[in-house]
Amino acid sequence: MSDEISSPSEAPAVKRRSKKRTIALIAVAVVVLAGGLTATSVAVAKAEAEETLRQCTVALESGAAAARTATESVADAENALEAVAITALPDTDGWVSANYADRPGAEAVDAVEAVEASEGVAAQEAVDAVPARSSGAEQIAAVTDAGIELSNVVIPDECADRDESAALTRLATETTADAAALDGTTTMLTEDFAVFQAEETARIAAEIEAARLAAEAEAARLAEEEAQRLAAEEAARQQNTNSNGGSNGGSSNNNGGNRPPANSGGTKPGGGGPPGGGQVGGSGGCVVDNGMGGTRPC
């Protein structure tokens, strides 16, 4: 039996790995693990860089667009400021308006509902609400100040990290909003200037029409005075003519009364009247023309 039963010392020996082989396996695992971590870090860093690049690209494009928008807005504002300084009115015969900068503002007008006429109450038409209007000088100043502020904005054209990207994106957004605000202010200025020019054209046209009517009235007055003067002169001339005619007639009668008395001897016997060419004088005597404007006895 003893020969068939193995002793513990005879049992199969457990194979042990050598120390050197174990260290080698650990080293390989460490290298593999280290290599895996390095690859992951590189991939993460690459993704981070690509995202930063993407954000910077978007921010730079937004900044460039905002810069173009701001430039256009400032140019439009400058053109509007030059336009409102013009006093020559369009579509007129060289009419000149007042300076737009001297245009006064206007207070707001509240809306008023229409009122029908009734006993003791007069009818009243509806009145639309009118917003307050800034003066010409105020609107010019608003456009000028906003244009200067916008033109001083500097938008970077470089981006290195996400912080710069965020700052650039924020600046582009603010600049675009400021450009839109300037456009609105410029539009208000341009529209108000157009209304001002229309009002000035109507004012000057009314003044010209009033001057024309006044000139016509003055011409009519002068013509009436001239007609009255001529009529008075004609009346005076007629009166003088009539007066002169009456005086001449009286003188002829007087001259006739001053003629020499007729022959008191009467007519010749047997005669029924004066001889040919003679006439009976005031005393019954016969007289004839003496050829000198006077008379002589027959």
Side-chain angles (χ1 to χ4, degrees):
M1 295 291 295
S2 60
D3 293 335
E4 295 177 2
I5 299 175
S6 299
S7 63
S9 58
E10 293 178 351
V14 177
K15 294 182 178 180
R16 298 176 181 270
R17 295 175 179 176
S18 66
K19 186 177 181 180
K20 290 182 178 180
R21 189 169 182 273
T22 301
I23 293 174
L25 291 174
I26 294 174
V28 171
V30 169
V31 170
V32 171
L33 180 62
L37 291 174
T38 301
T40 301
S41 299
V42 170
V44 171
K46 181 180 179 181
E48 291 289 328
E50 290 177 350
E51 177 61 18
T52 300
L53 178 61
R54 185 192 68 79
Q55 292 184 14
C56 279
T57 301
V58 172
L60 288 172
E61 290 177 353
S62 298
R68 290 192 298 269
T69 300
T71 300
E72 293 174 358
S73 297
V74 171
D76 291 342
E78 291 176 349
N79 292 334
L81 290 173
E82 291 179 0
V84 299
I86 298 174
T87 56
L89 292 173
D91 303 325
T92 62
D93 188 15
W95 296 359
V96 178
S97 71
N99 291 323
Y100 175 74
D102 297 332
R103 174 175 170 81
E107 296 182 354
V109 177
D110 296 332
V112 177
E113 295 183 356
V115 176
E116 295 183 358
S118 61
E119 184 177 357
V121 178
Q124 181 176 348
E125 295 183 356
V127 177
D128 295 332
V130 178
R133 187 191 71 241
S134 300
S135 66
E138 290 172 337
Q139 297 201 50
I140 290 174
V143 173
T144 301
D145 295 342
I148 292 174
E149 183 177 354
L150 187 59
S151 63
N152 289 332
V153 174
V154 178
I155 299 180
D157 56 359
E158 295 181 355
C159 178
D161 53 43
R162 296 188 183 185
D163 290 339
E164 291 184 357
S165 171
L168 179 55
T169 300
R170 184 168 54 253
L171 179 59
T173 301
E174 294 174 352
T175 301
T176 302
D178 292 341
L182 176 58
D183 290 341
T185 306
T186 301
T187 299
M188 290 178 58
L189 173 65
T190 302
E191 291 178 351
D192 189 60
F193 180 65
V195 173
F196 168 76
Q197 284 193 316
E199 292 176 351
E200 283 293 280
T201 301
R203 177 185 65 81
I204 295 175
E207 291 177 353
I208 292 175
E209 179 64 12
R212 185 186 68 81
L213 294 177
E216 289 182 355
E218 179 65 11
R221 185 187 66 81
L222 294 176
E224 179 64 20
E225 289 183 354
E226 180 66 11
Q228 292 178 359
R229 186 186 66 81
L230 293 175
E233 290 181 354
E234 179 63 18
R237 188 184 66 79
Q238 291 290 344
Q239 184 177 2
N240 291 336
T241 300
N242 295 335
S243 298
N244 291 335
S247 298
N248 292 336
S251 298
S252 299
N253 293 334
N254 292 335
N255 289 336
N258 292 331
R259 290 177 180 176
N263 186 3
S264 56
T267 59
K268 293 182 179 181
Q279 60 182 349
V280 178
S283 303
C286 176
V287 293
V288 294
D289 186 2
N290 62 3
M292 300 178 64
T295 59
R296 61 179 179 79
C298 297

mmCIF file of all heavy atoms in Angstrom, residues 4-45:
data_model
loop_
_atom_site.group_PDB
_atom_site.id
_atom_site.type_symbol
_atom_site.label_atom_id
_atom_site.label_comp_id
_atom_site.label_asym_id
_atom_site.label_seq_id
_atom_site.Cartn_x
_atom_site.Cartn_y
_atom_site.Cartn_z
ATOM 1 N N GLU A 4 1.875 2.279 -3.227
ATOM 2 C CA GLU A 4 0.936 2.837 -4.171
ATOM 3 C C GLU A 4 0.512 4.238 -3.791
ATOM 4 O O GLU A 4 0.082 4.992 -4.621
ATOM 5 C CB GLU A 4 -0.319 1.921 -4.247
ATOM 6 C CG GLU A 4 0.011 0.569 -4.818
ATOM 7 C CD GLU A 4 -1.175 -0.346 -4.831
ATOM 8 O OE1 GLU A 4 -2.272 0.138 -4.421
ATOM 9 O OE2 GLU A 4 -1.088 -1.478 -5.280
ATOM 10 N N ILE A 5 0.620 4.564 -2.454
ATOM 11 C CA ILE A 5 0.200 5.895 -2.023
ATOM 12 C C ILE A 5 1.402 6.782 -2.048
ATOM 13 O O ILE A 5 2.436 6.509 -1.428
ATOM 14 C CB ILE A 5 -0.421 5.838 -0.624
ATOM 15 C CG1 ILE A 5 -1.628 4.942 -0.652
ATOM 16 C CG2 ILE A 5 -0.749 7.233 -0.134
ATOM 17 C CD1 ILE A 5 -2.241 4.717 0.699
ATOM 18 N N SER A 6 1.205 7.905 -2.785
ATOM 19 C CA SER A 6 2.318 8.847 -2.905
ATOM 20 C C SER A 6 2.355 9.713 -1.671
ATOM 21 O O SER A 6 1.322 10.135 -1.147
ATOM 22 C CB SER A 6 2.154 9.726 -4.139
ATOM 23 O OG SER A 6 2.143 8.944 -5.292
ATOM 24 N N SER A 7 3.443 10.098 -1.307
ATOM 25 C CA SER A 7 3.604 11.001 -0.176
ATOM 26 C C SER A 7 3.434 12.429 -0.661
ATOM 27 O O SER A 7 3.588 12.731 -1.844
ATOM 28 C CB SER A 7 4.977 10.764 0.454
ATOM 29 O OG SER A 7 5.994 11.080 -0.486
ATOM 30 N N PRO A 8 3.129 13.363 0.250
ATOM 31 C CA PRO A 8 2.982 14.773 -0.143
ATOM 32 C C PRO A 8 4.189 15.277 -0.879
ATOM 33 O O PRO A 8 4.089 16.092 -1.804
ATOM 34 C CB PRO A 8 2.773 15.504 1.166
ATOM 35 C CG PRO A 8 2.152 14.489 2.037
ATOM 36 C CD PRO A 8 2.777 13.153 1.669
ATOM 37 N N SER A 9 5.378 14.652 -0.507
ATOM 38 C CA SER A 9 6.578 15.141 -1.176
ATOM 39 C C SER A 9 6.642 14.684 -2.621
ATOM 40 O O SER A 9 7.360 15.236 -3.438
ATOM 41 C CB SER A 9 7.825 14.649 -0.429
ATOM 42 O OG SER A 9 7.820 13.234 -0.385
ATOM 43 N N GLU A 10 5.837 13.766 -2.898
ATOM 44 C CA GLU A 10 5.852 13.252 -4.265
ATOM 45 C C GLU A 10 4.731 13.847 -5.119
ATOM 46 O O GLU A 10 4.582 13.482 -6.292
ATOM 47 C CB GLU A 10 5.706 11.724 -4.225
ATOM 48 C CG GLU A 10 6.882 11.019 -3.609
ATOM 49 C CD GLU A 10 6.691 9.533 -3.532
ATOM 50 O OE1 GLU A 10 5.509 9.105 -3.822
ATOM 51 O OE2 GLU A 10 7.619 8.824 -3.212
ATOM 52 N N ALA A 11 3.899 14.673 -4.550
ATOM 53 C CA ALA A 11 2.806 15.283 -5.310
ATOM 54 C C ALA A 11 3.380 16.177 -6.395
ATOM 55 O O ALA A 11 4.490 16.698 -6.303
ATOM 56 C CB ALA A 11 1.916 16.098 -4.396
ATOM 57 N N PRO A 12 2.580 16.452 -7.515
ATOM 58 C CA PRO A 12 3.092 17.287 -8.622
ATOM 59 C C PRO A 12 3.389 18.708 -8.143
ATOM 60 O O PRO A 12 2.583 19.347 -7.456
ATOM 61 C CB PRO A 12 1.966 17.294 -9.645
ATOM 62 C CG PRO A 12 1.184 16.058 -9.319
ATOM 63 C CD PRO A 12 1.285 15.842 -7.833
ATOM 64 N N ALA A 13 4.482 19.237 -8.520
ATOM 65 C CA ALA A 13 4.882 20.596 -8.083
ATOM 66 C C ALA A 13 4.107 21.652 -8.895
ATOM 67 O O ALA A 13 3.862 21.494 -10.089
ATOM 68 C CB ALA A 13 6.365 20.790 -8.290
ATOM 69 N N VAL A 14 3.719 22.648 -8.178
ATOM 70 C CA VAL A 14 3.031 23.788 -8.833
ATOM 71 C C VAL A 14 4.053 24.626 -9.592
ATOM 72 O O VAL A 14 5.069 25.014 -9.046
ATOM 73 C CB VAL A 14 2.306 24.659 -7.796
ATOM 74 C CG1 VAL A 14 1.657 25.861 -8.458
ATOM 75 C CG2 VAL A 14 1.291 23.841 -7.054
ATOM 76 N N LYS A 15 3.709 24.904 -10.856
ATOM 77 C CA LYS A 15 4.654 25.697 -11.656
ATOM 78 C C LYS A 15 4.570 27.183 -11.276
ATOM 79 O O LYS A 15 3.517 27.770 -11.194
ATOM 80 C CB LYS A 15 4.325 25.537 -13.142
ATOM 81 C CG LYS A 15 4.549 24.107 -13.660
ATOM 82 C CD LYS A 15 4.265 24.037 -15.133
ATOM 83 C CE LYS A 15 4.529 22.605 -15.672
ATOM 84 N NZ LYS A 15 4.263 22.504 -17.110
ATOM 85 N N ARG A 16 5.644 27.683 -10.973
ATOM 86 C CA ARG A 16 5.726 29.100 -10.607
ATOM 87 C C ARG A 16 6.363 29.903 -11.737
ATOM 88 O O ARG A 16 7.296 29.447 -12.374
ATOM 89 C CB ARG A 16 6.559 29.255 -9.324
ATOM 90 C CG ARG A 16 5.950 28.547 -8.111
ATOM 91 C CD ARG A 16 6.899 28.676 -6.927
ATOM 92 N NE ARG A 16 6.355 27.979 -5.765
ATOM 93 C CZ ARG A 16 5.553 28.524 -4.851
ATOM 94 N NH1 ARG A 16 5.199 29.786 -5.006
ATOM 95 N NH2 ARG A 16 5.114 27.814 -3.810
ATOM 96 N N ARG A 17 5.810 31.097 -11.989
ATOM 97 C CA ARG A 17 6.421 31.966 -12.993
ATOM 98 C C ARG A 17 7.665 32.602 -12.408
ATOM 99 O O ARG A 17 7.710 32.935 -11.239
ATOM 100 C CB ARG A 17 5.439 33.068 -13.431
ATOM 101 C CG ARG A 17 4.222 32.514 -14.149
ATOM 102 C CD ARG A 17 3.246 33.624 -14.455
ATOM 103 N NE ARG A 17 2.072 33.110 -15.164
ATOM 104 C CZ ARG A 17 1.053 33.845 -15.471
ATOM 105 N NH1 ARG A 17 1.030 35.148 -15.138
ATOM 106 N NH2 ARG A 17 0.045 33.310 -16.120
ATOM 107 N N SER A 18 8.543 32.813 -13.296
ATOM 108 C CA SER A 18 9.777 33.433 -12.825
ATOM 109 C C SER A 18 9.526 34.910 -12.518
ATOM 110 O O SER A 18 8.634 35.554 -13.068
ATOM 111 C CB SER A 18 10.870 33.289 -13.875
ATOM 112 O OG SER A 18 10.545 34.038 -15.031
ATOM 113 N N LYS A 19 10.270 35.441 -11.614
ATOM 114 C CA LYS A 19 10.138 36.859 -11.214
ATOM 115 C C LYS A 19 10.392 37.787 -12.382
ATOM 116 O O LYS A 19 9.731 38.794 -12.581
ATOM 117 C CB LYS A 19 11.102 37.113 -10.059
ATOM 118 C CG LYS A 19 10.965 38.476 -9.455
ATOM 119 C CD LYS A 19 11.908 38.626 -8.255
ATOM 120 C CE LYS A 19 11.757 40.003 -7.633
ATOM 121 N NZ LYS A 19 12.640 40.180 -6.478
ATOM 122 N N LYS A 20 11.356 37.397 -13.177
ATOM 123 C CA LYS A 20 11.675 38.244 -14.324
ATOM 124 C C LYS A 20 10.501 38.320 -15.309
ATOM 125 O O LYS A 20 10.183 39.356 -15.877
ATOM 126 C CB LYS A 20 12.900 37.693 -15.043
ATOM 127 C CG LYS A 20 14.195 37.862 -14.246
ATOM 128 C CD LYS A 20 15.372 37.350 -15.043
ATOM 129 C CE LYS A 20 16.692 37.547 -14.275
ATOM 130 N NZ LYS A 20 17.843 37.057 -15.015
ATOM 131 N N ARG A 21 9.826 37.170 -15.502
ATOM 132 C CA ARG A 21 8.691 37.162 -16.447
ATOM 133 C C ARG A 21 7.550 37.981 -15.925
ATOM 134 O O ARG A 21 6.876 38.691 -16.681
ATOM 135 C CB ARG A 21 8.256 35.709 -16.666
ATOM 136 C CG ARG A 21 7.233 35.534 -17.783
ATOM 137 C CD ARG A 21 7.092 34.053 -18.095
ATOM 138 N NE ARG A 21 6.152 33.871 -19.194
ATOM 139 C CZ ARG A 21 4.832 33.763 -19.052
ATOM 140 N NH1 ARG A 21 4.279 33.830 -17.872
ATOM 141 N NH2 ARG A 21 4.064 33.591 -20.129
ATOM 142 N N THR A 22 7.320 37.933 -14.610
ATOM 143 C CA THR A 22 6.251 38.733 -14.017
ATOM 144 C C THR A 22 6.519 40.218 -14.175
ATOM 145 O O THR A 22 5.633 41.003 -14.556
ATOM 146 C CB THR A 22 6.109 38.389 -12.531
ATOM 147 O OG1 THR A 22 5.825 36.984 -12.417
ATOM 148 C CG2 THR A 22 5.011 39.197 -11.895
ATOM 149 N N ILE A 23 7.701 40.627 -13.920
ATOM 150 C CA ILE A 23 8.058 42.060 -14.077
ATOM 151 C C ILE A 23 7.885 42.493 -15.523
ATOM 152 O O ILE A 23 7.401 43.580 -15.823
ATOM 153 C CB ILE A 23 9.509 42.271 -13.594
ATOM 154 C CG1 ILE A 23 9.582 42.034 -12.079
ATOM 155 C CG2 ILE A 23 9.993 43.652 -13.956
ATOM 156 C CD1 ILE A 23 11.007 42.083 -11.524
ATOM 157 N N ALA A 24 8.203 41.575 -16.406
ATOM 158 C CA ALA A 24 8.063 41.924 -17.829
ATOM 159 C C ALA A 24 6.608 42.110 -18.219
ATOM 160 O O ALA A 24 6.243 43.047 -18.956
ATOM 161 C CB ALA A 24 8.697 40.837 -18.692
ATOM 162 N N LEU A 25 5.743 41.209 -17.694
ATOM 163 C CA LEU A 25 4.320 41.348 -18.000
ATOM 164 C C LEU A 25 3.753 42.648 -17.424
ATOM 165 O O LEU A 25 2.951 43.326 -18.079
ATOM 166 C CB LEU A 25 3.565 40.137 -17.443
ATOM 167 C CG LEU A 25 3.850 38.802 -18.144
ATOM 168 C CD1 LEU A 25 3.140 37.661 -17.397
ATOM 169 C CD2 LEU A 25 3.409 38.842 -19.577
ATOM 170 N N ILE A 26 4.165 42.948 -16.199
ATOM 171 C CA ILE A 26 3.685 44.219 -15.600
ATOM 172 C C ILE A 26 4.146 45.417 -16.431
ATOM 173 O O ILE A 26 3.406 46.364 -16.683
ATOM 174 C CB ILE A 26 4.176 44.323 -14.158
ATOM 175 C CG1 ILE A 26 3.505 43.226 -13.322
ATOM 176 C CG2 ILE A 26 3.902 45.702 -13.585
ATOM 177 C CD1 ILE A 26 4.040 43.142 -11.903
ATOM 178 N N ALA A 27 5.346 45.363 -16.868
ATOM 179 C CA ALA A 27 5.876 46.465 -17.679
ATOM 180 C C ALA A 27 5.088 46.629 -18.964
ATOM 181 O O ALA A 27 4.766 47.738 -19.406
ATOM 182 C CB ALA A 27 7.350 46.214 -17.970
ATOM 183 N N VAL A 28 4.770 45.460 -19.567
ATOM 184 C CA VAL A 28 3.993 45.536 -20.810
ATOM 185 C C VAL A 28 2.624 46.132 -20.551
ATOM 186 O O VAL A 28 2.118 46.971 -21.329
ATOM 187 C CB VAL A 28 3.868 44.135 -21.440
ATOM 188 C CG1 VAL A 28 2.874 44.165 -22.595
ATOM 189 C CG2 VAL A 28 5.224 43.647 -21.919
ATOM 190 N N ALA A 29 1.971 45.726 -19.444
ATOM 191 C CA ALA A 29 0.650 46.268 -19.122
ATOM 192 C C ALA A 29 0.709 47.768 -18.871
ATOM 193 O O ALA A 29 -0.163 48.536 -19.306
ATOM 194 C CB ALA A 29 0.109 45.531 -17.893
ATOM 195 N N VAL A 30 1.781 48.127 -18.152
ATOM 196 C CA VAL A 30 1.921 49.573 -17.892
ATOM 197 C C VAL A 30 2.107 50.344 -19.181
ATOM 198 O O VAL A 30 1.541 51.407 -19.408
ATOM 199 C CB VAL A 30 3.106 49.798 -16.921
ATOM 200 C CG1 VAL A 30 3.446 51.275 -16.842
ATOM 201 C CG2 VAL A 30 2.776 49.237 -15.558
ATOM 202 N N VAL A 31 2.903 49.794 -20.068
ATOM 203 C CA VAL A 31 3.125 50.485 -21.355
ATOM 204 C C VAL A 31 1.837 50.579 -22.158
ATOM 205 O O VAL A 31 1.495 51.617 -22.736
ATOM 206 C CB VAL A 31 4.214 49.739 -22.149
ATOM 207 C CG1 VAL A 31 4.300 50.273 -23.573
ATOM 208 C CG2 VAL A 31 5.552 49.878 -21.454
ATOM 209 N N VAL A 32 1.110 49.443 -22.165
ATOM 210 C CA VAL A 32 -0.166 49.451 -22.909
ATOM 211 C C VAL A 32 -1.134 50.453 -22.303
ATOM 212 O O VAL A 32 -1.788 51.228 -23.003
ATOM 213 C CB VAL A 32 -0.761 48.035 -22.928
ATOM 214 C CG1 VAL A 32 -2.183 48.069 -23.505
ATOM 215 C CG2 VAL A 32 0.114 47.100 -23.735
ATOM 216 N N LEU A 33 -1.220 50.445 -20.962
ATOM 217 C CA LEU A 33 -2.113 51.388 -20.289
ATOM 218 C C LEU A 33 -1.695 52.837 -20.537
ATOM 219 O O LEU A 33 -2.511 53.693 -20.856
ATOM 220 C CB LEU A 33 -2.131 51.089 -18.788
ATOM 221 C CG LEU A 33 -3.027 51.987 -17.938
ATOM 222 C CD1 LEU A 33 -4.484 51.828 -18.389
ATOM 223 C CD2 LEU A 33 -2.894 51.626 -16.451
ATOM 224 N N ALA A 34 -0.419 53.040 -20.434
ATOM 225 C CA ALA A 34 0.080 54.406 -20.681
ATOM 226 C C ALA A 34 -0.180 54.830 -22.113
ATOM 227 O O ALA A 34 -0.587 55.948 -22.414
ATOM 228 C CB ALA A 34 1.568 54.466 -20.358
ATOM 229 N N GLY A 35 0.011 53.929 -23.026
ATOM 230 C CA GLY A 35 -0.259 54.249 -24.418
ATOM 231 C C GLY A 35 -1.709 54.570 -24.669
ATOM 232 O O GLY A 35 -2.050 55.478 -25.412
ATOM 233 N N GLY A 36 -2.614 53.849 -24.032
ATOM 234 C CA GLY A 36 -4.038 54.122 -24.181
ATOM 235 C C GLY A 36 -4.422 55.477 -23.631
ATOM 236 O O GLY A 36 -5.179 56.237 -24.247
ATOM 237 N N LEU A 37 -3.902 55.816 -22.497
ATOM 238 C CA LEU A 37 -4.191 57.131 -21.925
ATOM 239 C C LEU A 37 -3.653 58.244 -22.807
ATOM 240 O O LEU A 37 -4.295 59.268 -23.017
ATOM 241 C CB LEU A 37 -3.575 57.220 -20.513
ATOM 242 C CG LEU A 37 -4.225 56.327 -19.441
ATOM 243 C CD1 LEU A 37 -3.439 56.407 -18.141
ATOM 244 C CD2 LEU A 37 -5.669 56.727 -19.224
ATOM 245 N N THR A 38 -2.524 58.095 -23.373
ATOM 246 C CA THR A 38 -1.946 59.129 -24.245
ATOM 247 C C THR A 38 -2.790 59.310 -25.501
ATOM 248 O O THR A 38 -3.064 60.427 -25.941
ATOM 249 C CB THR A 38 -0.518 58.732 -24.623
ATOM 250 O OG1 THR A 38 0.243 58.583 -23.426
ATOM 251 C CG2 THR A 38 0.127 59.771 -25.508
ATOM 252 N N ALA A 39 -3.256 58.253 -26.057
ATOM 253 C CA ALA A 39 -4.105 58.347 -27.256
ATOM 254 C C ALA A 39 -5.421 59.045 -26.950
ATOM 255 O O ALA A 39 -5.908 59.871 -27.732
ATOM 256 C CB ALA A 39 -4.369 56.942 -27.804
ATOM 257 N N THR A 40 -6.010 58.740 -25.798
ATOM 258 C CA THR A 40 -7.262 59.400 -25.415
ATOM 259 C C THR A 40 -7.058 60.887 -25.201
ATOM 260 O O THR A 40 -7.860 61.718 -25.642
ATOM 261 C CB THR A 40 -7.814 58.765 -24.119
ATOM 262 O OG1 THR A 40 -8.021 57.373 -24.348
ATOM 263 C CG2 THR A 40 -9.103 59.417 -23.690
ATOM 264 N N SER A 41 -5.979 61.224 -24.531
ATOM 265 C CA SER A 41 -5.694 62.647 -24.302
ATOM 266 C C SER A 41 -5.509 63.403 -25.604
ATOM 267 O O SER A 41 -5.995 64.522 -25.790
ATOM 268 C CB SER A 41 -4.437 62.791 -23.434
ATOM 269 O OG SER A 41 -4.635 62.179 -22.185
ATOM 270 N N VAL A 42 -4.823 62.788 -26.534
ATOM 271 C CA VAL A 42 -4.606 63.436 -27.834
ATOM 272 C C VAL A 42 -5.929 63.637 -28.561
ATOM 273 O O VAL A 42 -6.192 64.681 -29.159
ATOM 274 C CB VAL A 42 -3.638 62.597 -28.677
ATOM 275 C CG1 VAL A 42 -3.599 63.117 -30.128
ATOM 276 C CG2 VAL A 42 -2.247 62.619 -28.086
ATOM 277 N N ALA A 43 -6.799 62.616 -28.483
ATOM 278 C CA ALA A 43 -8.086 62.727 -29.166
ATOM 279 C C ALA A 43 -8.936 63.831 -28.546
ATOM 280 O O ALA A 43 -9.571 64.625 -29.258
ATOM 281 C CB ALA A 43 -8.820 61.383 -29.093
ATOM 282 N N VAL A 44 -8.932 63.876 -27.216
ATOM 283 C CA VAL A 44 -9.691 64.937 -26.527
ATOM 284 C C VAL A 44 -9.134 66.312 -26.870
ATOM 285 O O VAL A 44 -9.868 67.264 -27.154
ATOM 286 C CB VAL A 44 -9.678 64.691 -25.001
ATOM 287 C CG1 VAL A 44 -10.264 65.894 -24.271
ATOM 288 C CG2 VAL A 44 -10.448 63.428 -24.661
ATOM 289 N N ALA A 45 -7.831 66.453 -26.823
ATOM 290 C CA ALA A 45 -7.203 67.741 -27.143
ATOM 291 C C ALA A 45 -7.507 68.171 -28.579
ATOM 292 O O ALA A 45 -7.752 69.341 -28.862
ATOM 293 C CB ALA A 45 -5.696 67.644 -26.923
#
